[in-house]
Amino acid sequence: MSNLAVEDKYEAWVGREEARSDRINESAVQAMAATLDLESAPGAGDPLPPGWQWLFFNPAVRRSELGVDGHPARGGFLPPITLPRRMWAGSRIRYLADLSVASEATRRSKILKVQNKVGKSGALCFVTVEHTTSYGSTPCIVEEQDLVYREANQPGASSSPALKRYEGEAQWSCHFVADTTLLFRYSALTFNGHRIHYDQAYARNEEGYPGLVVHGPLTATLLQQFALNHGGGRRLTSFSFRGVNPLFVDRAFQLEGREEDGSTLSVWARGPEGELAMSATARFR
């Protein structure tokens, strides 16, 4: 199917909007801090840490309305794209104002575009959604999120591409291992039913992974905290990331980074074979 055909087929979804309201619940924030093994958690009135907004505004879809992969079945707000495998490919985030713990907030979402592409693994369809999270009339976080839909994995084929060592030179590096408990807790906190994160047999036999997959937004959250640790106490104003290769449970990886200029850090996750797993740019003020 051509790019134009895909755009025509889903034209009615481009520009579609929805809004969700949620309380930035202090108990969820405390649970996230415990999940990340932090010594303390932000309290009521404190700024929500970058990346923790993904704990909120997630749809509570009935179990009978889920697809075989654990995601909500196609349709609804997102277009009913028939390619069966869905992943979060990356985001571009602007942090405009603090979103406080225990506040009532609203997230307005809008589908910006639907694009068809062909990659090494076959047909791909990208959907870009803009999320604007506000407290009252004040926009706090604006994110453009890229979702990618892919063809089914062929029987016996691997979803792990040939790995190439990343040659980026780091000023700082931090060792990290994601275990099954971390993946379980993060799935629960984000109400993420995608089975690649907790169902070993499904991840291996149906999607061709060697083990449970570390959530992309979890890795992006770790990279944002890593950037803040090396940001000299400045405010994070934007963060963009792109997933490159998957990371897997119980396989150690590195959070790494370097300063590009006075306000910009490049940060990335390097997998156990030296491969680039996620690349990101953090900007400060």
Side-chain angles (χ1 to χ4, degrees):
M1 184 178 292
S2 69
N3 290 353
L4 181 60
V6 168
E7 290 168 5
D8 287 346
K9 184 175 182 180
Y10 300 117
E11 182 179 5
W13 271 264
V14 176
R16 179 170 290 200
E17 299 184 21
E18 72 168 9
R20 295 181 180 275
S21 295
D22 207 346
R23 180 177 176 83
I24 309 305
N25 196 298
E26 191 171 0
S27 63
V29 171
Q30 291 172 346
M32 180 63 169
T35 296
L36 297 180
D37 202 27
L38 303 180
E39 292 183 357
S40 61
D46 292 333
L48 186 71
W52 294 29
Q53 69 272 15
W54 296 322
L55 304 183
F56 305 99
F57 311 104
N58 298 309
V61 177
R62 293 175 57 193
R63 183 163 53 86
S64 60
E65 296 174 355
L66 298 176
V68 67
D69 62 355
H71 275 310
R74 302 297 190 268
F77 172 65
L78 293 171
I81 295 167
T82 55
L83 294 171
R85 299 174 64 200
R86 190 177 95 186
M87 299 290 289
W88 186 341
S91 288
R92 296 158 298 284
I93 311 162
R94 290 181 290 141
Y95 293 105
L96 307 177
D98 288 340
L99 184 62
S100 298
V101 177
S103 65
E104 299 284 347
T106 300
R107 189 184 75 177
R108 300 187 184 279
S109 303
K110 181 179 181 179
I111 296 177
L112 298 183
K113 59 185 176 182
V114 181
Q115 291 181 308
N116 187 47
K117 297 183 180 182
V118 177
K120 293 180 181 179
S121 60
L124 303 168
C125 189
F126 287 86
V127 178
T128 300
V129 183
E130 181 185 70
H131 299 295
T132 301
T133 303
S134 302
Y135 172 67
S137 60
T138 302
C140 300
I141 305 169
V142 178
E143 174 181 1
E144 285 190 9
Q145 183 182 105
D146 297 323
L147 304 175
V148 60
Y149 296 77
R150 302 164 57 190
E151 292 181 359
N153 202 48
Q154 298 300 314
S158 171
S159 288
S160 300
L163 300 177
K164 179 181 178 181
R165 183 171 181 81
Y166 181 56
E167 299 300 334
E169 295 184 4
Q171 286 177 263
W172 323 287
S173 184
C174 176
H175 180 85
F176 197 89
V177 179
D179 59 21
T180 53
T181 303
L182 173 60
L183 300 193
F184 168 78
R185 283 184 162 192
Y186 191 75
S187 286
L189 282 168
T190 55
F191 208 63
N192 182 350
H194 197 183
R195 293 168 64 187
I196 63 172
H197 304 304
Y198 60 87
D199 187 334
Q200 186 95 281
Y202 175 86
R204 286 179 172 171
N205 300 334
E206 300 300 324
E207 300 221 14
Y209 293 114
L212 298 177
V213 180
V214 178
H215 310 68
L218 173 57
T219 303
T221 299
L222 294 172
L223 282 173
Q224 287 176 85
Q225 183 58 56
F226 181 77
L228 283 169
N229 291 345
H230 297 282
R234 294 169 296 177
R235 175 185 172 82
L236 182 67
T237 57
S238 72
F239 186 83
S240 60
F241 72 91
R242 181 174 66 92
V244 180
N245 287 298
L247 295 167
F248 299 102
V249 70
D250 293 332
R251 297 188 182 184
F253 58 91
Q254 301 293 123
L255 305 175
E256 298 182 342
R258 64 172 179 261
E259 185 173 8
E260 297 294 349
D261 57 43
S263 62
T264 305
L265 304 184
S266 290
V267 292
W268 59 88
R270 189 193 297 267
E273 304 302 320
E275 76 279 11
L276 179 64
M278 180 174 287
S279 62
T281 301
R283 291 188 170 85
F284 293 87
R285 184 179 60 214

